[in-house]
Amino acid sequence: MKKLIITILAGLPAFVFAQSAYTIKGKAGSIGAPAKVYLSYVVDKKPVVDSANIVNGNFAFAGAVKDLTPASLTLDYKGAGYMNLNRKVKQDVISIYLEQGTISLNSPDSLAKSTVTGTRTNLENAEYKAYMKPATDKMTMLMAEYNATPAETKKTKEFDDAFMPRYNAVQKEQSELTKSYIKSHPDSYLSLVNLNSVGGAYPEYAEMAPWFNALSERVRNTTTGKTYAGRLEKWKLVALGQMAPEFSQADTSGKMVSLSSFKGKYLLIDFWASWCGPCRAENPNVVKAYNKYKDKNFTILGVSLDQPGDKAKWLAAIHKDGLTWTHVSDLQYWNNAASTAYGVQAIPQNYLLDPTGKIIGKNLRGKDLEDKLAQIFDKI
């Protein structure tokens, strides 16, 4: 038996620790010292940064990754160091994908303008960018116009009424082009990456599962594909008609509060944070709804995605915005256990539960929240 175990272990490295070796060869004009190029990516949620000298515009990297990995190349013209880059100004950066083979970049003057060739996913990325270019150019021009507009003008209803229909039209054009690309490229990793554009900030399982399942097995089995499949399972659990998943977190005084303790009431689970501008802007509407229906078997449970060490900011926001209902948080930012279990990708986000704990409404804001509550309580 001991010999058998040793034999099995001896065969593990080739299977478990298989790596995809990549080489990057770049040319950016005739740039030289003191400039450096930095390669950055994430492995197991930890950032990795590598550097290379650039001589007469030439630079190179070599390494290995466990799976297809999104990465960025940044050109540091002054050789200041990756952590010392002035991120208040636009950087000379380009996104690539690390995978088996040689990735080639060529530009007459900068990284951002490089033509990327040499491996399948990087070629597909270039194809996708070219496919999307008409709509991308429209959005770039529209946002340039927006950024050039005086701040006071942007606050007016007249500007908003004129700008938003144009913005929505271009955004819809981008979405339709993306859907068309995904349908015609089921074996492209870019199709998987851009599923987020289809689902938006608040994806629904019923809509996104067919899109994901239509992708090839090769794409679905990438690390990104497996991660997306995990998100789908979470979204399935919080679809309309499902029983809301249980969770328990500490309230503002440190006392543990469980979701199930609210059974018997209509409950709005409100995911928000003190640092979230749209959340703070929506809070007056939530306060209005709470005050109107709090005496009719309705209450709210606020779940904050505030950051570690920011309890004071969380409490100050509760006080300033007049949020007089129960609040909980584990102060773990986007790693909040409750928001993670619910597959939350953007805030504000909310779930309306009936007295049994079943989800009967989602992402209800402003008049939509008021109308939904009126519909419920007018019947009672």
Side-chain angles (χ1 to χ4, degrees), residues 332-358:
Q332 291 299 311
Y333 199 35
W334 286 107
N335 291 321
N336 179 287
S339 69
T340 299
Y342 278 60
V344 172
Q345 293 191 162
I347 53 175
Q349 186 164 355
N350 61 41
Y351 295 83
L352 181 63
L353 315 186
D354 73 5
T356 70
K358 183 170 68 176

Side-chain angles (χ1 to χ4, degrees), residues 45-46 64 73 76 182 215 295 312 325 361:
K45 297 184 179 181
K46 296 179 180 178
L73 287 166
D76 174 11
I182 293 172
L215 300 177
D295 296 326
W325 47 85

